[in-house]
Amino acid sequence: MVIWAASEIWPHQWTANAVAWGATAIALLAVGVHDVRLKARHTDGRLPGWSYRIARGSTAIATAAVVFSALPSLVFLP
């Protein structure tokens, strides 16, 4: 949402791209922290096999969504 809002506030400007890149880095960091927590819960035995696989797949989909939401800021540089 931050990336979309930045592109609406500052259309075709470097400010929007900088905000998009920063928000992407923060979002990928958050997904990475979540992935580490998933691995820890699975290792402790608190997350069974199928639940772990579904959670890992959801994390992969979330990572792809974050990357693809920032893609226009890389392709359409002002």
Side-chain angles (χ1 to χ4, degrees):
M1 291 301 294
V2 171
I3 295 169
W4 176 79
S7 67
E8 290 296 318
I9 294 170
W10 302 290
H12 307 293
Q13 294 181 14
W14 280 103
T15 308
N17 286 349
V19 169
W21 298 334
T24 299
I26 291 169
L28 288 175
L29 181 65
V31 170
V33 167
H34 178 68
D35 192 47
V36 169
R37 290 179 67 200
L38 280 176
K39 288 179 186 177
R41 286 188 69 190
H42 181 65
T43 303
D44 291 343
R46 294 185 295 158
L47 194 61
W50 277 102
S51 297
Y52 179 66
R53 288 186 189 126
I54 290 172
R56 291 292 305 249
S58 299
T59 303
I61 291 170
T63 302
V66 168
V67 170
F68 280 114
S69 67
L71 190 62
S73 71
L74 294 173
V75 174
F76 301 118
L77 293 174

